[in-house]
Amino acid sequence: MPRGRYSLHDPHDHTPLADEHFHCAPGPSGWRYVSQLTTPTGEHTGSVDLTLDDLGRPLRLELHASSWQVRGAALDGVTWVRTDPTGTEATEGNVPAHAFTGTSPAFLVATSRLLRLTPSSSTWVRLVAFTDPVLAPRTVDQSWTLLGSETHATDNGPLTVDAYQVTALDTGEQHAVHIAGDVVLAAPGIELEDLETPPSTFD
């Protein structure tokens, strides 16, 4: 069960945004990721709880940020309920999309798991993104390409790293994402600062 800490920052000006303390592991249903987010000064700001099925689809998603809450799952596309900080109003949404995304590295692992690309192959995916700080939903289309995989020798055995190119189809902006098993090694706005145990491998 990998445990560790990501630091999240603005990908444009590198302003520190949060630290994400996480643990994740494959399980009977597929894969689960749980994290707590804190400010650089240590104040709690939110959490992520994501469970995928064996095919990489979101069985359950629960996000908290700035007292806002989102609960969602893959149902007739993707369906979610967003609750305001007072808890008095809840808004339901549904979009014919494949999965969810957001600032957490969990969503990059989840999307790669859903697509299961082979080297040099590409596909597009429609995602519902929940944007900080109020978890506002918006639909985004992306193209993912698996550029290749490299295996590196480590003290814990060989580590395979997949390199992806992700393109935002509305703007054409491209960025690289490097994933080993169920851990993001590098991506815009994401740095892996600490990892206590090696990444899990998917069958």
Side-chain angles (χ1 to χ4, degrees):
M1 177 186 292
R3 289 179 176 271
R5 176 174 61 89
Y6 295 108
S7 64
L8 309 181
H9 58 266
D10 187 298
H12 303 290
D13 62 13
H14 301 288
T15 301
L17 300 176
D19 285 335
E20 186 162 340
H21 306 263
F22 74 95
H23 62 272
C24 56
S29 61
W31 181 71
R32 187 177 182 197
Y33 177 100
V34 177
S35 69
Q36 300 290 325
L37 288 101
T38 60
T39 65
T41 57
E43 299 172 359
H44 183 265
T45 60
S47 62
V48 178
D49 190 340
L50 174 64
T51 301
L52 307 180
D53 68 10
D54 284 335
L55 298 178
R57 299 171 300 192
L59 277 179
R60 187 175 73 90
L61 170 67
E62 186 169 328
L63 299 177
H64 293 266
S66 304
S67 299
W68 289 83
Q69 175 183 284
V70 165
R71 292 185 178 184
L75 181 65
D76 296 326
V78 293
T79 299
W80 68 92
V81 176
R82 177 171 171 264
T83 308
D84 71 346
T86 65
T88 57
E89 294 187 18
T91 304
E92 184 173 328
N94 173 266
V95 170
H98 299 96
F100 300 108
T101 191
T103 56
S104 173
F107 294 113
L108 296 175
V109 175
T111 302
S112 69
R113 182 68 178 154
L114 177 72
L115 300 179
R116 301 186 187 213
L117 296 173
T118 56
S120 301
S121 65
S122 300
T123 192
W124 77 277
V125 62
R126 175 162 291 168
L127 305 168
V128 173
F130 294 107
T131 54
D132 294 333
V134 296
L135 301 179
R138 67 185 181 94
T139 303
V140 298
D141 291 339
Q142 296 177 343
S143 171
W144 280 61
T145 302
L146 177 55
L147 300 176
S149 302
E150 292 186 357
T151 301
H152 304 269
T154 72
D155 293 339
N156 297 301
L159 181 69
T160 300
V161 180
D162 296 326
Y164 295 90
Q165 179 177 280
V166 181
T167 304
L169 295 184
D170 56 347
T171 64
E173 183 179 4
Q174 296 182 336
H175 60 267
V177 174
H178 293 84
I179 297 175
D182 55 358
V183 172
V184 176
L185 300 182
I190 298 169
E191 296 288 343
L192 179 63
E193 301 289 355
D194 180 49
L195 185 63
E196 297 179 10
T197 48
S200 302
T201 55
F202 293 111
D203 293 332

